[in-house]
Amino acid sequence: MYPKNEIESEIQRLHDFGFLLKNESISDIKNDLHSSDIWADVFWRRRKNHANRDDPEILSIFDNNPKTILEIGTAYGRVLNKIAVENEKQTEKAKLFGIEICKHCEKYFQAYSKKHSLLENCNVLFDDFFKTNNIYRQQFDVIVLPMNTFPSFPISVLEDLFAAVRKKLNPNGLWIFSTYKPKATNNKFNSENLQENHSGELLLELDEDIIAGEHYQFPAVKKDYGMKTISYSSYTKLTREYNLKERKIYRNTREFINPDDLKKIISDNDFHIKSLDTTSHSAVYCLSKT
């Protein structure tokens, strides 16, 4: 999972900084944020902030008139709904599918679908893309991994990710994913891109518990392939009377891969870069099988 001495050092820093409470220790740290119930709630409550977010991945989805499209990481359905809206503009409509690892997102998808009726025609499975045997089809014309989700996959599992996508992609299909762009002119991530950061958020819904989120990112660590960041998120749930209900702390890692190193990983995993768009806030890769 992670080296004990490494996390103990991090926890000491978090105590010194004041991020952790005095009684919180290594036993309180979890690493399954993106499959937890509180993450589903948090992500759902961010929906208004995400409503006008630009999703450049969508521009390439319909280039080859796909008949089937799968989105990985559907959550409550925001991006899938945008794909559905674009799908309605096409002469020949594609069948839309989604898969989401966090089963707690299902109720939010249902709520979102009530206001976005096009989602009612999409087939969404709440399961692990790597492990599921219940995927709706064997292969798809387009597979999409949006919202800069790619760095959330540790570099150690990229081979499994490429293999899983390859298995589910039609021979002439397209895999589209986005990732962060280096700000450095030498086309590499560096510590100036990924400095120490502390932030917070207060998430409110009428007639629902209050969630106070706090986030601390350690300075990025240089790797042969780019940079790695370790961050902690605490979510404190309060009643409407501001009484403590629960508190959870999660450790997260992200891998920022230099473009040249990513190109090599893509080639080593038997994919070809069909196009690369860096004109937006993200780098959008469109891959085909070799």
Side-chain angles (χ1 to χ4, degrees):
M1 194 166 65
Y2 39 68
K4 185 177 180 180
N5 60 339
E6 179 180 323
I7 193 172
E8 285 178 342
S9 174
E10 294 166 6
I11 288 173
Q12 184 60 56
R13 169 60 181 148
L14 293 173
H15 275 297
D16 294 342
F17 185 78
F19 182 89
L20 293 178
L21 302 181
K22 290 183 179 180
N23 62 337
E24 291 175 334
S25 65
I26 190 170
S27 61
D28 295 296
I29 309 302
K30 305 177 185 299
N31 66 345
D32 60 343
L33 173 61
H34 295 107
S35 60
S36 68
D37 58 343
I38 201 158
W39 171 249
D41 198 351
V42 165
F43 200 68
W44 170 247
R45 295 191 194 197
R46 290 176 180 169
R47 67 191 181 281
K48 292 180 181 178
N49 293 334
H50 290 167
N52 297 319
R53 188 184 188 278
D54 181 32
D55 296 285
E57 307 89 351
I58 295 175
L59 297 175
S60 303
I61 289 177
F62 295 96
D63 286 352
N64 296 322
N65 302 313
K67 295 180 180 179
T68 55
I69 301 167
L70 171 69
E71 182 203 9
I72 304 172
T74 299
Y76 61 81
R78 184 188 68 82
V79 175
L80 189 59
N81 181 64
K82 292 180 75 170
I83 295 172
V85 170
E86 290 300 314
N87 191 40
E88 287 299 299
K89 301 175 184 177
Q90 308 303 312
T91 303
E92 295 185 14
K93 308 293 187 293
K95 293 182 180 180
L96 305 184
F97 302 82
I99 188 165
E100 169 57 49
I101 192 171
C102 183
K103 298 179 186 295
H104 303 285
C105 284
E106 184 169 5
K107 64 179 180 180
Y108 300 116
F109 178 81
Q110 292 173 352
Y112 198 70
S113 298
K114 290 179 180 178
K115 295 186 177 182
H116 300 84
S117 58
L118 291 177
L119 288 174
E120 295 177 356
N121 297 321
C122 302
N123 295 288
V124 177
L125 180 68
F126 292 88
D127 205 348
D128 187 336
F129 178 68
F130 288 123
K131 300 177 181 178
T132 184
N133 293 317
N134 298 318
I135 202 79
Y136 299 100
R137 304 177 61 87
Q138 290 301 309
Q139 292 182 312
F140 299 87
D141 293 330
V142 174
I143 294 178
V144 189
L145 180 65
M147 282 191 70
N148 291 339
T149 304
F150 189 82
S152 297
F153 290 91
I155 197 166
S156 59
V157 305
L158 285 186
E159 185 175 340
D160 293 336
L161 174 62
F162 276 86
V165 170
R166 187 176 183 82
K167 182 179 179 181
K168 295 299 181 184
L169 193 65
N170 277 332
N172 297 316
L174 196 65
W175 178 25
I176 303 171
F177 68 82
S178 59
T179 187
Y180 298 98
K181 298 186 298 186
K183 295 179 182 178
T185 55
N186 62 0
N187 210 32
K188 291 185 177 182
F189 285 102
N190 58 46
S191 58
E192 291 182 1
N193 299 151
L194 303 163
Q195 298 176 342
E196 180 183 33
N197 181 267
H198 176 242
S199 62
E201 57 185 330
L202 187 64
L203 301 164
L204 304 171
E205 291 280 336
L206 290 175
D207 300 321
E208 296 288 344
D209 293 328
I210 298 164
I211 298 178
E214 188 177 6
H215 314 286
Y216 181 88
Q217 178 178 293
F218 284 89
V221 178
K222 188 175 181 180
K223 298 290 184 180
D224 292 340
Y225 53 81
M227 305 296 294
K228 177 180 179 179
T229 64
I230 297 171
S231 62
Y232 282 77
S233 296
S234 69
Y235 293 104
T236 304
K237 187 172 285 190
L238 308 167
T239 67
R240 299 298 295 185
E241 293 77 25
Y242 289 90
N243 295 317
L244 178 63
K245 193 169 183 178
E246 68 173 330
R247 176 175 162 86
K248 294 182 178 180
I249 307 157
Y250 295 89
R251 183 182 191 266
N252 307 290
T253 62
R254 287 189 298 173
E255 309 269 12
F256 297 89
I257 304 174
N258 295 326
D260 289 344
D261 294 278
L262 181 52
K263 289 175 183 177
K264 184 177 186 306
I265 290 172
I266 290 169
S267 177
D268 289 347
N269 284 277
D270 300 322
F271 276 87
H272 166 74
I273 301 176
K274 196 168 184 180
S275 67
L276 172 57
D277 184 357
T278 59
T279 58
S280 70
H281 55 80
S282 302
V284 180
Y285 288 79
C286 296
L287 308 186
S288 59
K289 295 180 181 180
T290 56

